[in-house]
Amino acid sequence: MAIYKSITAFAPASVANVSCGFDIMGFAVAGIGDKVTVSLQAGTDNTRVILTGKYGHFTPVERHKNTAGVAVIAYLQAIGRSELNLEIILEKNMPLGSGMGSSASSSAAAVYAVNYLLGSPLSTSELIPFAMEGERIACGSAHADNVAPALLGGFTLIRSYSPLDIISIKCPDDLYAAIVHPHVELNTSDSRRVLKNEVSVTNAIIQSANTAGFMVALLQSDYNLMKRSMSDLLAEPQRIHLIPGFESIRKAAMETGAVGCGISGSGPSIFALCKGEAMAMQVADVICEGFTKIGLFNEAYVSQVNAPGTCIVDFIEN
Ligand code: HSE
């Protein structure tokens, strides 16, 4: 018998890729994310999803199409409890197609809540593959660079997908991110379709050198090295045309003092890494101005890169 009648978990937004780490790097963003409440119901195998929140009506409700539902079903199958009848209430606070890990936030909160409800048989890291199933349904690719930081918090590196090998990296405490979401929807599946399948050896060398340089920069708090390393040859060149105003906005962010600036995940949001919160706020303002100038409404978030991951925010005992 479960100790809890219902569990509510919150999972944060996240920035994936972080310029030089396409599909392998990401970090959690404080202050925005989805909430999921899971409760056990009478009967068997009738798990259903209920949508609430500002963006609930834009999200598929069918449990096999909803990222929270898919992640929970995959989890229940893996632990041999598919007979359970759960009610999953998804409070969808994040817009879809924002490039801030919206689908990951729903699936991370859902698996975390159900695992807790059932007495935490799995560790938080062990929940990542189920949340990745949510990503597969959302965009056709089970990438982990949003779900890993959403669940674990902070900055994560996916060293390998097969087998899954995820490393949490402690970043400098004064490393902040400015993230600005322009009000345009860009589906990850569309944004992945523009990518090339082949990479030249020359570009592979440059990319892996930058990724390695960036890792060293994080571990040694070397902001100059971070700046030199934050460039992407795999995704950004093909995606730039999908992000209105990207090049001039990045230029303005760098001139203001950002350490690096790129597309957040698959876009359209833009992120910038900065030394200190004050600089991140200044850079966020500049990015907002850039989008406003071209007629796009936008929202800005400023977060420490070492931000918390998924957590329980409410429960009802049996
Ligand atoms: N790594 C993924 C991509 C992140 O860039 O397609 C999607 O948010």
Side-chain angles (χ1 to χ4, degrees):
M1 211 47 194
I3 307 167
Y4 299 103
K5 203 171 183 157
S6 78
I7 292 289
T8 304
F10 168 86
S14 48
V15 169
N17 301 338
V18 203
S19 295
C20 50
F22 176 69
D23 270 2
I24 61 166
M25 302 195 313
F27 62 85
V29 174
I32 173 168
D34 290 341
K35 268 189 203 170
V36 173
T37 302
V38 178
S39 57
L40 269 177
Q41 306 290 308
T44 57
D45 192 22
N46 196 25
T47 293
R48 64 187 183 124
V49 180
I50 296 172
L51 297 167
T52 68
K54 192 171 169 192
Y55 298 97
H57 54 291
F58 296 113
T59 314
V61 73
E62 299 89 341
R63 63 178 183 166
H64 290 287
K65 289 189 187 160
N66 181 284
T67 60
V70 167
V72 167
I73 290 166
Y75 167 87
L76 291 177
Q77 269 165 4
I79 63 157
R81 301 297 310 272
S82 295
E83 85 290 356
L84 291 179
N85 179 14
L86 299 173
E87 182 183 79
I88 303 165
I89 302 176
L90 167 58
E91 184 185 308
K92 190 77 204 137
N93 301 318
M94 290 187 63
L96 300 174
S98 61
M100 295 192 301
S102 173
S103 51
S105 173
S106 304
S107 53
V111 282
Y112 194 90
V114 68
N115 186 54
Y116 203 91
L117 184 77
L118 300 179
S120 301
L122 300 186
S123 68
T124 306
S125 298
E126 286 170 332
L127 299 177
I128 293 171
F130 312 115
M132 286 167 69
E133 290 307 313
E135 296 293 66
R136 193 192 301 283
I137 211 73
C139 74
S141 146
H143 58 94
D145 49 343
N146 289 113
V147 293
L151 277 162
L152 301 173
F155 193 105
T156 57
L157 167 71
I158 295 119
R159 209 273 318 152
S160 157
Y161 271 90
S162 180
L164 202 55
D165 183 4
I166 293 177
I167 301 157
S168 286
I169 294 167
K170 169 87 172 73
C171 294
D173 281 331
D174 58 356
L175 183 61
Y176 277 75
I179 303 110
V180 181
H181 171 228
H183 291 194
V184 213
E185 188 176 329
L186 178 55
N187 293 324
T188 300
S189 49
D190 294 335
S191 202
R192 289 183 86 85
R193 214 165 288 131
V194 301
L195 301 177
K196 291 187 183 144
N197 280 326
E198 270 89 43
V199 178
S200 69
V201 173
T202 309
N203 282 358
I205 292 168
I206 297 171
Q207 186 84 9
S208 45
N210 279 332
T211 312
F214 187 72
M215 289 292 102
V216 173
L218 287 183
L219 296 172
Q220 296 186 348
S221 301
D222 184 337
Y223 283 91
N224 274 328
L225 176 58
M226 210 179 286
K227 189 171 194 167
R228 300 199 299 279
S229 307
M230 282 185 71
S231 98
D232 174 37
L233 295 178
L234 295 190
E236 214 161 88
Q238 277 89 56
R239 287 176 166 172
I240 282 177
H241 72 281
L242 301 173
I243 322 289
F246 178 77
E247 283 185 285
S248 60
I249 291 174
R250 172 164 57 188
K251 188 165 175 274
M254 295 304 290
E255 282 169 3
T256 306
V259 174
C261 177
I263 303 172
S264 175
S266 56
S269 294
I270 291 182
F271 82 98
L273 292 187
C274 302
K275 186 171 184 184
E277 190 175 16
M279 177 54 76
M281 286 168 85
Q282 226 175 301
V283 168
D285 283 346
V286 165
I287 301 176
C288 287
E289 265 169 42
F291 281 128
T292 305
K293 248 190 232 162
I294 53 172
L296 290 173
F297 286 110
N298 53 75
E299 268 128 32
Y301 305 90
V302 168
S303 168
Q304 202 179 18
V305 173
N306 290 322
T310 307
C311 60
I312 302 300
V313 289
D314 204 359
F315 60 84
I316 300 175
E317 282 177 344
N318 251 330

